[in-house]
Each structure stands twice: as structure tokens, then as C-alpha cells.
Amino acid sequence: MSANDNTNGKKPEDEAKALSFEKAKKNAVAADGKKEATLKTKRKISVGWVLGMIILILIAVSFVMAPAIEAVVGKKTSNGIVFGTYGKEQIKYAYGNYFYDEVQNYADKYKSSGTDQTQMLYQIWKSAYDSTVLFTAINQLAAKAGIIAADEVVNRAVINSGTYNKDGKFDVATYQKASAESKAKVLKSIRRSLPYQIVVSDTGSVLSSTAEAKYISDMASKGRTFRYLNLSPSLYPDTLAAQYALENKQLFYSMDLSVISTQTQDEAKALYDSIKKGETTFEDAATKSSLDSFAKNGGAVGKVFYYAVVPNFKNADDALALLGAKSGDIIGPFEANGSYSLYKLNSTPAEADYADSATLSVVKAYMASNESSIIDTYLSDLAAKVSAQAKQDGLDAAAETANLKVVDVAATPYNAGGSAYMNSFSNTDPNGMLASVLTTDTGKQMYSAEADTLLDPIKSGTSYLVLEVGKDAVDSNMAGYISMFYNYYSGSQNQQDLSQALYTSDLHKDNFLTTFLNVIIGKSK
């Protein structure tokens, strides 16, 4: 809301574990709860951000009281903090305003989520900010359209709110027993929200023409079937995978590990000394002090391969210390990427069993990611051979020769744009291999080639596909479904489009992260 919070009714103006021992670094995601668009912004997490989270923890301890702001940023800004603007209105956090209430609401929502505390706090404040931006923008639209919270409408909304219900109906006695303060709070909340709710409701209830609904349902009902063979890295011969592993033994040593991650080297050294002196155990130290996601399990990571651990060391040579350790050893601290780590060996590193099928699967997966040219060359040649036989003898015969299973894909429309009104390969392709090629020229070829055509081998990720185009088909059930629910879907889409347009408007000046880093941290020094 704006800084003023206008509420007076007047018209204003797992094949192998992928490890990460660093602190969680996730994008904040706006969760609006009012049919608003999901808004994502990618931010680079810096040391300043981490310091900012420390300040936020101080705020979180007592953010239900206005003095919390003054305690952190000083008296000059104790009347609120401005995080951005929309048009000429400030997006301000101040005691009792909409932003403030949204912080409380999201705090209640996330408090039992089990999410990392710093991540949770960021989600609370960012979600509240995004919600306030949209609330402010939509109220500006309401004001421009002359929409106000008339007393009669407000009174009716109070009755219908359910706040004073008894046995499912508004109860006069319950209302009369309520304190003046609680009544005023409910009245204020409803009065300031009504214009917003009217705009959102009207946007979502606009009906589309029957001709438009028929056009969309016709597109959604027309699709094409496909059949294909998936030539994945798992087809790489075991003998060649074992040979690669033998030539690179070190990569595939396995060990059972536990880890502790700290912000500074001094913190890591202090924990190491405390563990060595017997003042605490590695597990307790991890639970109480580690910053990574393994802390909740006492630092236990489980069995991992050496190659999966190396990326967590800033200096890859430091990782060699793991191979020289034995079960029970605690080693470190080692500098990681933005943190420092201690490791406990729960088993002595062991050489891989090169005859074990699970180990060979891990080797092939590693090669597909790190030695892609070796795997790709083999699969490309294999795909050419399989395709040649399929063109001569048919896809089923080629599948039998190569010991592969034909994947059948139900009729799917050409949905390169990912429209919510149309089905997609994410629902119809059981192996999920076609979605990645749909937006390429190959995707166009899939829908322009004649029925029963066998296309040249297609690369999809680390695999190759031998694809046969099927026949066009009409799904009458899908047509009926879209026709029936089109107004609902289009209304929801209208709301999302409006929210996205408002949030990304040039009128919105977003200083959320900058405010945290420069204002809160700057005044806490």
C-alpha cells in the first residue's frame, strides 16, 4: 500500500549424489494468496545479503512492534522504511499499514514450514513486498476508475466476512461483544481491501465470446501421435565404462561423510578444537552451528563418490586429503565456495567395484556430464544404425534388435508456447524426452512431416531419439473440457496478466534488495 494507507472511502488520485555444502542460496518467490501472478526475481546472493539476513533476524524477533524498526535503523527512519515506489506512492513498511500486515500474515504462513530461517525471513519480507506492490497498483487503478469503499458495501462485507458468525450466520450478539479495537481493525482491513478486491474480481469475471472459446478448444483438441526409441547414456557398453573407471580410479572412490559448514575459517577452527578436546561431538556441533542443509541430520551426508565432493573445495587439491583419511578422522577446515568446511569420515574411502552395475551406471552418468564427447560419439553412431534399420524394417523390429522399448506418445497438440489451454508433452510423453525438442526446428518438422514418417535421429539432452511421426487425431473430450471451463481459465489468466503487467510496469521502482543492503546494514554498523 502507499505510505498513507488510504482507507477513508474518499476518491484519491539419484544415480549419484549431487552435493552442495554451502549455505542455501535460493531465489525468493513471491506467494501472493490473492490470485496474483507468481513473480520471480533472480538475485545474486552476496556476503552483504548474508549480513542483511542477520539484521532481519533481529527484526523478526520483535517485528510485531513498531519499535523494532527504530531499534535497528535509528529514530530518523522509525516512521517506516521505503522499499520502492509505484508511480508517486511509496511502498513503505510502517506500523499498522498494509505492508506491515502482510509481513505478519506471511510470518504466520512460514513459521512452521521447516525452511531454513534466513531463507524463510527473506521469503516473508519479499512476499509481503510483492503483495504490497500489486495492492498499491491495483488501488491506483480503482481510484482512477472511481471505485470507492462505500459505507453500505463495507457494512455488507463486514457481515459476510464471517468474523462475527455463529452457527454459520452473522450473530448480532457476537458483534456487540467484540471490543471496539477489534471492530475497528476488521473495519479498516475490509475498507482498504474492497477497491482492490472489486478490481481483481471484475478482471477475473470478464466473459469471453463463444467464438473465442470454440477457436481455443478446436486448437486444443487437435494433436498428433508419436513413437520413439530413447538411446540414453545407459546404453554405453559396460566394458568401456569399466575401462574408463579403471583409468580414472580416484574419481570413483566412495566414502561415507559428514560435514560442518561455517561462515569463517576462525569459526571452523574453533569447532574443530572443541570437538578434538571432547567438549562436543561432531554431530552436535553440526546440528547447532553448521550452515548447510545437512545440519538437521547432524551433518550426515551419506555415501558419496569422490568426484561429487571435489566441487565443494575452492582448491580441488585440498580434496585429496579425504582419500588419505580413514574412518573416524576429522579433517579441515577447508575453504569452500563462500564458506569453510570440516569433514568427518564415517568410512575409509574404498575403490569402486568395476563389475557392479550400480557403480557402472554412476560412471556412465559422470561421463555423460563430464566426458560428453565420448558418450555422444558412441550414441550418435548407434542412433544412425538403429535409424537405418527402422527405415528398412520398421521401428518395432529396430527396437527388438537393439533391445529397446518403443515409447508411445498420445495425441499432443503443437504447444510450443506452453499454453495452459492445451495439452503438452509433459503430460503425454511418459519419458519426457520430446518437450526439449519441441521449440526447435525439429519440433516444427514433427508437426509438418507426413504421417508414419521416420525422422532422422534427434538429440535430446544427452540422449538420441529415433522418432516416428504418427497420425493426427482429435480429442473430443479435451474440446468439451476447454469449452466448459474456458471462462474460468481465461478469467484466471486475465488476473495473472494484469498482475504481471503491473509489477513489471515502468511505474514500479523496485529498491527492495538495495534497501536491505544499504539502509538496514548501513545503519546497523
Side-chain angles (χ1 to χ4, degrees):
M1 183 68 179
S2 70
N4 298 324
D5 245 3
N6 186 2
T7 61
N8 60 12
K10 306 293 184 182
K11 288 174 61 177
E13 320 282 355
D14 198 36
E15 281 180 335
K17 273 187 184 171
L19 301 182
S20 178
F21 301 148
E22 298 178 65
K23 292 188 289 183
K25 298 180 180 180
K26 297 187 179 180
N27 293 340
V29 179
D32 48 47
K34 297 187 179 79
K35 298 183 180 179
E36 298 167 353
T38 299
L39 306 164
K40 300 182 178 179
T41 56
K42 295 183 178 179
R43 302 289 191 190
K44 182 177 180 181
I45 305 304
S46 63
V47 173
W49 183 88
V50 175
L51 294 174
M53 292 303 101
I54 295 173
I55 303 303
L56 289 184
I57 292 174
L58 297 177
I59 295 176
V61 172
S62 57
F63 62 46
V64 293
M65 300 179 65
I69 299 177
E70 182 177 322
V72 176
V73 299
K75 292 183 178 180
K76 290 184 179 180
T77 53
S78 61
N79 64 330
I81 303 176
V82 178
F83 290 84
T85 59
Y86 201 94
K88 296 181 179 180
E89 294 190 65
Q90 295 178 332
I91 310 299
K92 176 187 283 190
Y93 174 88
Y95 181 76
N97 73 350
Y98 182 83
F99 196 166
Y100 175 93
D101 288 345
E102 285 297 276
V103 169
Q104 314 308 308
N105 292 336
Y106 282 107
D108 288 340
K109 177 179 179 180
Y110 287 114
K111 65 183 179 182
S112 59
S113 66
T115 308
D116 175 78
Q117 188 176 28
T118 53
Q119 177 190 340
M120 176 184 69
L121 287 171
Y122 188 88
Q123 289 175 335
I124 289 170
W125 286 82
K126 187 62 169 66
S127 297
Y129 171 79
D130 290 336
S131 178
T132 305
V133 169
L134 295 175
F135 185 84
T136 302
I138 289 175
N139 270 302
Q140 288 182 9
L141 292 180
K144 188 175 182 180
I147 299 173
I148 62 173
D151 290 342
E152 181 181 350
V153 178
V154 171
N155 292 337
R156 189 184 314 122
V158 170
I159 293 173
N160 294 333
S161 69
T163 305
Y164 307 106
N165 278 12
K166 183 178 181 180
D167 299 328
K169 295 188 298 183
F170 178 78
D171 182 63
V172 176
T174 301
Y175 174 78
Q176 291 175 338
K177 289 179 182 177
S179 67
E181 182 181 359
S182 66
K183 289 178 185 177
K185 185 176 181 180
V186 170
L187 188 65
K188 176 184 176 182
S189 176
I190 289 177
R191 185 179 293 279
R192 75 180 176 188
S193 297
L194 270 176
Y196 167 90
Q197 292 172 356
I198 290 171
V199 173
V200 172
S201 177
D202 286 353
T203 302
S205 60
V206 175
L207 298 179
S208 303
S209 69
T210 54
E212 178 183 324
K214 185 178 185 307
Y215 175 76
I216 298 297
S217 63
D218 284 347
M219 282 201 305
S221 66
K222 296 176 182 177
R224 171 169 278 191
T225 62
F226 299 93
R227 305 170 74 224
Y228 69 84
L229 302 179
N230 179 19
L231 284 69
S232 70
S234 64
L235 297 178
Y236 192 70
D238 287 350
T239 53
L240 295 180
Q243 180 181 334
Y244 178 86
L246 282 167
E247 293 171 353
N248 299 272
K249 291 182 179 182
Q250 181 174 289
L251 294 173
F252 304 104
Y253 268 74
S254 63
M255 62 205 79
D256 191 295
L257 286 178
S258 293
V259 66
I260 294 175
S261 300
T262 65
Q263 185 66 41
T264 68
Q265 186 176 26
D266 288 342
E267 290 173 335
K269 286 181 177 179
L271 289 174
Y272 178 86
D273 291 340
S274 181
I275 295 169
K276 282 296 186 180
K277 291 176 182 178
E279 296 172 350
T280 186
T281 65
F282 189 97
E283 291 71 23
D284 286 344
T287 301
K288 294 176 183 178
S289 305
S290 186
L291 301 176
D292 56 56
S293 60
F294 301 105
K296 61 185 178 183
N297 297 320
V301 176
K303 181 181 177 181
V304 295
F305 289 91
Y306 176 74
Y307 77 81
V309 185
V310 174
N312 293 284
F313 289 78
K314 186 171 183 179
N315 180 2
D317 289 341
D318 287 346
L320 293 171
L322 292 170
L323 298 179
K326 61 183 183 299
S327 180
D329 286 352
I330 297 173
I331 58 175
F334 299 105
E335 187 174 5
N337 299 307
S339 63
Y340 287 83
S341 300
L342 297 175
Y343 293 92
K344 179 181 178 181
L345 278 292
N346 301 314
S347 70
T348 301
E351 187 175 350
D353 179 359
Y354 307 114
D356 179 61
S357 59
T359 299
L360 292 177
S361 293
V362 171
V363 174
K364 294 174 187 180
Y366 174 85
M367 293 179 67
S369 298
N370 300 279
E371 301 282 4
S372 57
S373 60
I374 298 175
I375 294 284
D376 191 78
T377 299
Y378 176 83
L379 291 180
S380 177
D381 292 342
L382 178 61
K385 294 176 183 177
V386 173
S387 178
Q389 184 184 357
K391 289 179 180 180
Q392 180 176 337
D393 304 325
L395 193 66
D396 293 298
E400 184 176 356
T401 300
N403 196 26
L404 296 172
K405 182 179 179 181
V406 176
V407 180
D408 290 301
V409 180
T412 310
Y414 182 50
N415 188 10
S419 171
Y421 300 114
M422 303 167 69
N423 209 346
S424 66
F425 286 125
S426 61
N427 298 318
T428 59
D429 178 7
N431 282 17
M433 301 301 297
L434 296 182
S436 64
V437 300
L438 182 62
T439 56
T440 66
D441 290 338
T442 301
K444 296 177 182 178
Q445 187 181 4
M446 288 165 58
Y447 283 89
S448 59
E450 294 184 5
D452 302 320
T453 298
L454 190 73
L455 302 183
D456 290 334
I458 301 168
K459 192 172 184 351
S460 176
T462 57
S463 299
Y464 277 84
L465 309 180
V466 177
L467 178 71
E468 180 181 83
V469 174
K471 295 179 172 56
D472 294 330
V474 175
D475 186 345
S476 57
N477 290 330
M478 178 60 73
Y481 176 82
I482 294 297
S483 296
M484 182 180 299
F485 293 102
Y486 183 71
N487 280 324
Y488 169 77
Y489 282 128
S490 63
S492 178
Q493 187 67 55
N494 289 341
Q495 291 174 336
Q496 293 178 23
D497 289 346
L498 174 64
S499 296
Q500 189 67 27
L502 292 174
Y503 196 88
T504 57
S505 168
D506 291 338
L507 294 172
H508 177 207
K509 305 303 179 185
D510 183 357
N511 296 318
F512 178 81
L513 192 59
T514 302
T515 301
F516 273 133
L517 297 179
N518 295 341
V519 177
I520 296 181
I521 294 178
K523 289 186 178 293
S524 68
K525 292 180 178 179

